[in-house]
């Protein structure tokens, strides 16, 4: 079964054509709102890496490209919120958020709550140490940090034992074992979630968490240095 995965990032182009379901870019406008437009320009390497890792874990997934970062602007809470809502409307079962914003904003909190209420699984990067970030900190979001104990395809149940508040851990390595961090760990975990949902398509969010917890390779935090968020 193919699971639809939204990737809210800097875009990607190096995927087979049949994998891409929809693509759009989100940009700020002078009145403080966000506009959605067709994608254009070069994707960022970060988005390409995230897409590659999602497909590495879930080769049958179909992807939604929601571009919120570009060479011209950095993502804002409103842009991330608009991208999440668009992905949910396009049928995403899982949305990857390999990013961390320092500011808690109502527009982002409400967008996450609406998506979660629709049964969409949100996976977000969280730092191993330091100040918690958003949207990983919001209730119901699966927050992921780098855990060097995990080989690709493995994950850990941290239960918020890191100072950054991450609930899950995954390998922080980027594609081809390149250096990564929490954002790469979140991408890997997103692919794992998509694969589990493909195997158990009727799983509800609470049942999904139980399945993931039961299959985790590690429980409790890593006691060595854990890779910090890189975005």
């Amino acid at each position: 079964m193919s699971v639809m995965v939204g990737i809210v990032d800097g875009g990607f182009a190096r995927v087979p054509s049949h994998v891409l379901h929809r693509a759009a870019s989100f940009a700020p406008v002078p009145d403080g709102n966000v506009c959605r437009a067709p994608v254009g320009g070069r994707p960022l390497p970060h988005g390409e890496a995230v897409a590659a890792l999602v497909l590495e874990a879930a080769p049958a997934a179909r992807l939604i490209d929601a571009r919120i970062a570009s060479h011209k602007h950095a993502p804002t809470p409103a842009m991330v919120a608009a991208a999440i809502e668009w992905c949910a409307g396009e049928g995403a079962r899982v949305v990857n958020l390999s990013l961390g914003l320092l500011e808690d904003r109502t527009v982002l909190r409400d967008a996450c709550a609406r998506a979660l209420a629709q049964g969409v699984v949100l996976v977000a990067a969280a730092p191993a140490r330091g100040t918690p970030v958003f949207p990983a900190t919001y209730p119901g979001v699966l927050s992921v940090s780098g855990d060097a104990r995990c080989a690709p395809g493995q994950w850990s149940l941290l239960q918020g034992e890191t100072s950054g508040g991450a609930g899950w851990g995954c390998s922080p390595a980027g594609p081809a074992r390149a250096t990564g961090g929490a954002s790469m760990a979140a991408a890997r975990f997103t692919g794992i979630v998509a694969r589990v949902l493909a195997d158990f398509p009727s799983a509800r969010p609470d049942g999904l968490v139980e399945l993931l917890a039961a299959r985790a390779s590690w429980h409790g935090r890593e006691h060595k240095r854990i890779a910090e968020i890189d975005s």
Side-chain angles (χ1 to χ4, degrees), residues 90-208:
E90 288 293 331
R93 188 82 191 273
V94 190
V95 174
N96 172 262
L97 298 148
S98 284
L99 53 89
L101 303 179
L102 293 176
E103 299 176 341
D104 176 15
R105 291 290 184 264
T106 300
V107 64
L108 180 57
R109 189 185 325 117
D110 290 350
C112 289
R114 283 191 291 269
L116 292 168
Q118 295 173 40
V120 179
V121 180
L122 302 180
V123 179
R129 298 190 299 273
T131 304
V133 297
F134 305 94
T137 303
Y138 295 138
V141 175
L142 302 186
S143 56
V144 187
S145 185
D147 189 336
R149 297 174 297 182
C150 298
Q154 294 183 327
W155 64 95
S156 58
L157 175 61
L158 301 176
Q159 297 177 317
E161 291 184 9
T162 65
S163 62
W168 305 88
C170 220
S171 169
R177 307 298 294 171
T179 301
S183 62
M184 297 297 106
R188 290 181 181 277
F189 196 68
T190 295
I192 289 166
V193 169
R195 191 178 69 224
V196 171
L197 287 173
D199 292 339
F200 300 92
S202 62
R204 297 178 62 84
D206 53 350
L208 171 66

Side-chain angles (χ1 to χ4, degrees), residues 7-71:
I7 296 180
V8 178
D9 211 283
F12 51 87
R14 286 176 250 159
V15 300
S17 58
H18 70 275
V19 168
L20 181 63
H21 173 68
R22 291 281 187 277
S25 62
F26 298 81
V29 292
D31 65 1
N33 291 316
V34 175
C35 70
R36 187 178 83 236
V39 297
R42 292 180 293 112
L44 298 181
H46 191 273
E48 296 280 18
V50 167
L53 292 178
V54 171
L55 289 177
E56 180 182 300
R62 297 197 68 196
L63 305 183
I64 300 170
D65 180 0
R67 301 190 184 188
I68 47 85
S70 74
H71 298 280

